[in-house]
Amino acid sequence: MELRHLRYFIALSGSLNFTRAAERLHVTQSTLSHQIKQLEEELGVALFDRVGKRVALTDAGDEFLHFCTRALHEIDLGLGALRQDRSEVAGELRVGSTHTFNLGFIPDCIASFHARHPRVKVVVEELSADQIAARLQARTLDLGIAYRPAVPGPLRFEPLYNEEMVLVVARRHPLARRKRVRMVELHRLPMALLPASFATRQMLDECFRSCGAEPHVVAEINTLAPMMDLVAKTQLASIVAAKVVNPQAGLVIVRLESPTPVRTPGMLWSPAARDAATTRAFSAIVRKLALRSSLQDAAGRPA
């Protein structure tokens, strides 16, 4: 199956007349008829009913038209993006990001994006995942960088990679010399965690419930930097993404298992904002840098 088969199919579906469709495509009627026949043979179904000079879509043809039209629309958008002069992309891009990504990932994305599209102003706001979702639906943001929402609703979510979460403790903590710790061993362990309103905390609570453990939450802090500072100065433990831990601050990472908490970072957007040139250009850079980051994390992860 080739793109021309799909374009011929859509043209004939629009006119339901071989002569008019052939004229629109600038091909002979016999060429169009032959290409449609090839497509039907490859699919193994009849897409059109032919009764004399009348042509009508079959049920299979009507169903295929919906997907075919959507697929060609995406391809045409991609071709347009490739042909577009990068210097022509201009305007403003509004991005909502959770705290974790603003620590390094978002600045790297903006630096790369600005080098390619200097005429675009990027406005970044650090927000919670729920705030990002609400702002995207209100169309006051163009793109969100956050973790997979429990209920995405009308928003589209594109996963970027899976991120393993780890136990972090001070070097003098009793668990600091362990390579791995089972989640059940954290039962009644004094801990500092994100507040219960955070999606990450809800995911961790579910992991604790699944193994029958209940940590002793001594402190809840809604930003990571002070929480890591607290862990470094006390005998409290915490669970965070490995990339936010600075070993030079006297912190030690211990891998978790049974179960291993995993988050899925990704991009969120409303369908209406997805096709904007600025959004497409920035999301392409996010994908590229996310892939590089995940490969580096995998290479540096202890066995």
Side-chain angles (χ1 to χ4, degrees), residues 213-245:
E214 183 178 347
H216 176 38
V217 182
V218 174
E220 291 184 342
I221 304 177
N222 65 359
T223 53
L224 295 174
M227 187 158 65
M228 293 298 93
D229 190 36
L230 176 63
V231 170
K233 295 176 179 177
T234 65
Q235 288 290 286
L236 297 179
S238 188
I239 300 176
V240 296
K243 65 178 62 178
V244 306
V245 181

Side-chain angles (χ1 to χ4, degrees), residues 173-253:
H173 193 280
L175 296 176
R177 294 188 178 183
R178 296 277 297 275
K179 289 186 176 181
R180 296 174 181 270
V181 170
R182 291 177 296 130
M183 288 286 288
V184 71
E185 295 179 75
L186 305 184
H187 182 65
R188 304 310 298 164
L189 183 74
M191 300 193 75
L193 296 174
L194 291 169
S197 59
F198 280 66
T200 295
R201 171 64 184 279
Q202 294 164 20
M203 182 269 291
L204 291 176
D205 286 345
E206 181 59 34
C207 288
F208 282 123
R209 283 192 293 270
S210 71
C211 66
E214 183 178 347
H216 176 38
V217 182
V218 174
E220 291 184 342
I221 304 177
N222 65 359
T223 53
L224 295 174
M227 187 158 65
M228 293 298 93
D229 190 36
L230 176 63
V231 170
K233 295 176 179 177
T234 65
Q235 288 290 286
L236 297 179
S238 188
I239 300 176
V240 296
K243 65 178 62 178
V244 306
V245 181
N246 180 7
Q248 296 179 349
L251 297 172
V252 175
I253 288 173

